[in-house]
């Protein structure tokens, strides 16, 4: 486990969800605390963020986590998030951009409304720019890491989620620009691209849909939030000092094979 003693992190989209448990952000915050960091949990679901903060503080025996109600679409609220973090936990050197949405009205392009498109872009992409912008003064001063959530949808098309996929492709590109612009100052910026993960929303999917992912993944099951979290925290740690400007896929092998593999397996083929 990486040693993050003395580090302060901001994690967007970090909650304990009822029902279901930890989402990727919540699992990442938990892993950060286990590694010695203090964390600011930012989410619109302030009750879920407070539940998680209470759990983390109770397990640590001291105040290692705070919950800050934040709508990441608002630059003013992001500025307040950073100010609160500095005042209560210290200057941040780790930034985890994990908040994201994939709403039902994010459809195929012919049916897409401007309002749906803009909302997805604001949450999934613009927020990454805004939180990076307002934490860079601290990251450039002390050295630090930004880890952002992209997606396999940023690398391959789908029948819907047009805005989501475009926003996540933007996260991958923005990650490379941040690394290029600030890497010489000791700032590392990387992205994690999860495949479908057994987070609370995915737990509610019909078994028929879950079976599609099991069929297409190379691993027997979807990644868990805890497995995703370990990659996020590794990338934020000094153990990943040589990694900058990269996208790391944690997708159970979903995008690493030819698209006909599942059908060939169904035919009983042993090689493809």
């Amino acid at each position: 486990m990486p040693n993050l003693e003395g580090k302060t992190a901001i994690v967007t989209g970090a909650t304990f969800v009822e029902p279901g448990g930890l989402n990727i952000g919540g699992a990442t915050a938990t892993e950060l605390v286990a590694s010695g960091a203090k964390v600011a949990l930012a989410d619109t679901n302030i009750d879920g963020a407070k539940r998680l903060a209470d759990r983390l503080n109770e397990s640590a025996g001291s105040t290692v986590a705070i919950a800050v109600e934040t709508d990441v679409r608002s630059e003013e609220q992001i500025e307040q998030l950073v100010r609160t973090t500095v005042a209560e936990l210290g200057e941040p050197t780790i930034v985890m951009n994990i908040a994201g949405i994939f709403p039902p009205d994010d459809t195929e392009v012919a049916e897409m409304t401007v309002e749906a498109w803009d909302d997805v872009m604001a949450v999934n992409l613009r927020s990454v720019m805004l939180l990076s912008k307002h934490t860079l003064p601290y990251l450039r001063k002390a050295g630090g890491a930004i880890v952002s959530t992209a997606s396999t949808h940023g690398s391959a098309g789908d029948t819907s989620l047009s805005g989501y996929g475009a926003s996540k492709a933007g996260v991958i590109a923005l990650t490379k620009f941040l690394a290029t612009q600030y890497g010489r100052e000791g700032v590392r910026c990387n992205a994690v691209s999860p495949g479908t993960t057994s987070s609370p929303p995915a737990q509610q999917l019909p078994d028929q849909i879950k079976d599609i992912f099991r069929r297409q993944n190379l691993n027997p099951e979807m990644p868990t939030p805890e497995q995703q979290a370990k990659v996020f925290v590794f990338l934020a740690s000094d153990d990943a000092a040589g990694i900058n400007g990269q996208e790391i896929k944690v997708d159970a092998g979903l995008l690493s094979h030819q698209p006909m593999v599942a059908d060939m397996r169904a035919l009983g083929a042993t090689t493809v």
Side-chain angles (χ1 to χ4, degrees), residues 40 48 62 70 117 130 141 154 168 187 204 232 270:
S62 60
T70 308
W117 176 272
L130 288 173
K141 178 170 63 174
K168 294 305 186 177
V187 180
Q204 307 306 313
F232 277 90
T270 57

Side-chain angles (χ1 to χ4, degrees), residues 24-248:
I24 294 175
T28 298
T30 301
E31 187 76 9
L32 284 165
V33 168
S35 299
K38 296 180 178 180
V39 295
L41 315 176
D43 202 273
T44 53
N45 176 11
I46 190 60
D47 291 337
K50 285 180 176 176
R51 277 198 301 271
L52 178 56
D54 289 344
R55 286 162 54 99
L56 295 175
N57 291 331
E58 182 178 356
S59 66
S62 60
T63 301
V64 296
I66 60 172
V68 185
E69 186 171 7
T70 308
D71 185 338
V72 295
R73 292 169 292 197
S74 165
E75 183 168 17
E76 180 180 355
Q77 291 190 36
I78 285 179
E79 289 182 276
Q80 183 59 50
L81 165 65
V82 176
R83 285 194 295 266
T84 301
T85 302
V86 172
E88 298 192 25
L89 298 179
E91 296 183 354
T93 54
I94 296 172
V95 175
M96 299 287 193
N97 293 298
I98 301 181
I101 59 171
F102 40 93
D105 56 357
D106 183 3
T107 59
E108 61 180 280
V109 172
E111 306 297 329
M112 177 72 65
T113 66
V114 170
E115 292 78 14
W117 176 272
D118 288 349
D119 194 41
V120 170
M121 289 294 171
V123 175
N124 293 0
L125 179 56
R126 192 178 70 197
S127 70
V128 176
M129 181 276 290
L130 288 173
L131 187 54
S132 300
K133 170 185 174 181
H134 289 292
T135 54
L136 273 167
Y138 305 104
L139 302 177
R140 295 170 79 180
K141 178 170 63 174
I146 299 170
V147 187
S148 301
T149 307
S151 171
T152 52
H153 277 74
S155 299
D158 202 346
T159 55
S160 63
L161 296 177
S162 309
Y164 181 81
S167 70
K168 294 305 186 177
V171 169
I172 295 168
L174 180 57
T175 293
K176 297 177 185 295
F177 275 76
L178 286 165
T180 301
Q181 292 166 5
Y182 304 107
R184 292 290 183 140
E185 298 178 58
V187 180
R188 293 186 304 104
C189 304
N190 293 292
V192 176
S193 284
T196 300
T197 300
S198 59
S199 57
Q203 292 170 23
Q204 307 306 313
L205 291 172
D207 287 339
Q208 182 181 14
I209 301 299
K210 293 178 186 176
D211 287 343
I212 289 174
F213 289 105
R214 294 189 183 104
R215 183 168 174 259
Q216 296 293 341
N217 288 346
L218 299 185
N219 293 3
E221 294 294 337
M222 294 183 283
T224 66
E226 290 75 16
Q227 289 169 342
Q228 300 286 354
K230 289 184 181 298
V231 179
F232 277 90
V233 174
F234 166 71
L235 288 172
S237 75
D238 290 342
D239 292 346
I243 303 175
N244 204 359
Q246 300 303 308
E247 176 216 358
I248 309 298

